[in-house]
Amino acid sequence: MFPINRPRRLRQHPQLRRMVQETVVTANDLIYPLFAVPGDAVATEVKSMPGVYQLSVDKIVEEAKEVRDLGIPGVILFGIPEDKDVEATGAWHDCGIVQKAATAIKEAVPELVVIADTCLCEYTTHGHCGYLEVGDLSGRVLNDPTLDLLKKTAVSQAKAGADIIAPSGMMDGFVTAIREGLDEAGFSETPILSYAAKYASAYYGPFRDAAESAPQFGDRRTYQMDPANGREAIKEVELDIAEGADMLMVKPALAYMDIIWRVKEVTNLPVAAYNVSGEYSMVKAAALNGWIDEKKLTLETLTSFKRSGADLILTYHAKDAVRWMNE
């Protein structure tokens, strides 16, 4: 009456467990987010994100070198401008903060892949991702006029040296608009990593501290997706593929691994998962209170993202994770 099949046979020795391990996360899978601010020698820790800093361009370059030395292949840049306006001028100006940071990184660390987050919320006075009707306090972004701003922003970022353009505003048709803008400006080889399925999530809270991008009124539910919807994510993904996206992103990641899996099932394009600020901060808070083993939990979570289908993982844990992997 003893069992014939004994799965435990393959779990008895650490080296054997390594040999049959199905999912392996490496530094090659990771992308590290960076927040650029004006000034010199600025490194301001984000209160709600321990270990994450707003950095001036000189400090961004130092961080980029460290990222390179750890073997992480790329960073994604977010910018906090000195001034904001309704035209989001800081997003598309040739001297914008992301543009300066991208140029500086590519000059100092040319082998590092620089992804530019192509959105407008950090640059508008109202904190929404595009144009609003005059007097509108609902946060309903005007879609088509905003596409022109996104096109200008993408071209400006590519001119500054960004290797990949990553539009995150969830405007209808934004991949088409950006592809047209890049091609017309001579950047037909610049790929687009579309935030194809970006949900209106409570997990973004700490990011809005880091990027200083909280909406001044209303919310983003008229353009970001309802967390209750799964089939809609596939619709968004299929539209972005048809419009010419080269890679696709699901954001957030932790509560949306079913979406990552479903997206991976319908496409052969690379799929990225954004391990967002709230997910990071929950781990950090619990670790600081001694409630969890930060190393084990972080590596388990990143492995889960990859197991669910993510080819790339954008994560604030990236540097720590690589150090732990190399222990």
Side-chain angles (χ1 to χ4, degrees):
M1 298 300 294
F2 292 106
I4 296 173
N5 294 306
R6 293 181 182 267
R8 289 181 58 190
R9 291 178 185 135
L10 301 183
R11 302 175 193 154
Q12 296 181 60
H13 190 280
Q15 302 304 337
L16 181 54
R17 291 195 295 272
R18 282 180 57 200
M19 290 168 64
V20 299
Q21 185 174 333
E22 298 175 25
T23 305
V24 179
V25 178
T26 72
N28 293 336
D29 302 315
L30 306 180
I31 297 166
Y32 190 57
L34 292 170
F35 297 93
V37 296
D40 295 301
V42 177
T44 305
E45 189 169 25
V46 179
K47 191 174 295 185
S48 57
M49 298 180 70
V52 173
Y53 293 82
Q54 294 177 331
L55 301 169
S56 52
V57 171
D58 55 322
K59 292 292 186 180
I60 286 267
V61 169
E62 291 178 13
E63 194 82 347
K65 290 177 179 177
E66 182 180 359
V67 168
R68 183 268 318 273
D69 291 344
L70 285 167
I72 298 166
V75 296
I76 184 166
L77 289 175
F78 300 90
I80 299 93
E82 199 156 7
D83 299 300
K84 304 187 180 197
D85 56 43
V86 295
E87 296 283 337
T89 306
W92 48 266
H93 197 281
D94 288 343
C95 293
I97 188 62
V98 162
Q99 287 78 359
K100 289 180 179 178
T103 299
I105 291 173
K106 293 306 293 185
E107 288 176 353
V109 198
E111 64 272 33
L112 196 66
V113 172
V114 173
I115 305 169
D117 178 77
T118 307
C119 197
L120 308 173
C121 59
E122 299 105 307
Y123 306 94
T124 56
T125 48
H126 44 68
H128 285 283
C129 300
Y131 283 119
L132 304 180
E133 288 276 11
V134 176
D136 180 9
L137 297 180
S138 70
R140 189 178 68 84
V141 172
L142 299 176
N143 192 91
D144 295 2
T146 296
L147 296 180
D148 289 330
L149 290 181
L150 291 172
K151 183 186 295 189
K152 287 197 295 184
T153 300
V155 171
S156 176
Q157 292 170 337
K159 285 181 179 177
D163 298 295
I164 298 172
I165 299 301
S168 59
M170 289 298 288
M171 295 297 112
D172 293 340
F174 67 173
V175 173
T176 292
I178 288 171
R179 185 74 272 158
E180 288 177 353
L182 290 172
D183 291 354
E184 290 167 2
F187 295 101
S188 60
E189 300 301 315
T190 300
I192 295 173
L193 166 58
S194 174
Y195 288 64
K198 182 179 180 181
Y199 286 84
S201 173
Y203 282 101
Y204 303 150
F207 174 90
R208 290 169 184 169
D209 291 339
E212 300 179 14
S213 61
Q216 299 302 300
F217 48 80
D219 55 44
R220 295 179 177 149
R221 288 183 292 178
T222 65
Y223 44 104
Q224 294 177 359
M225 291 175 54
D226 186 335
N229 292 357
R231 293 191 303 273
E232 185 183 10
I234 304 307
K235 177 181 179 180
E236 290 280 7
V237 162
E238 289 174 342
L239 287 170
D240 284 3
I241 293 171
E243 291 177 21
D246 301 283
M247 297 180 280
L248 306 162
M249 190 189 301
V250 176
K251 181 180 180 182
L254 189 62
Y256 296 84
M257 283 192 278
D258 62 317
I259 304 301
I260 298 169
W261 178 267
R262 291 168 75 167
V263 169
K264 192 63 179 177
E265 288 287 285
V266 300
T267 179
N268 291 319
L269 294 182
V271 175
Y274 201 137
N275 180 205
V276 299
S277 59
E279 299 165 8
Y280 171 86
S281 295
M282 289 192 299
V283 171
K284 282 292 184 180
L288 289 169
N289 278 285
W291 298 336
I292 61 165
D293 183 318
E294 181 181 0
K295 171 185 171 181
K296 288 182 178 179
L297 183 60
T298 299
L299 294 179
E300 180 180 342
T301 301
L302 296 178
T303 301
S304 299
F305 296 149
K306 189 168 182 183
R307 190 189 66 238
S308 70
D311 301 291
L312 302 168
I313 303 167
L314 292 78
T315 178
Y316 305 97
H317 295 290
K319 293 194 301 178
D320 287 336
V322 171
R323 293 188 184 106
W324 290 327
M325 292 173 198
N326 292 334
E327 287 179 353

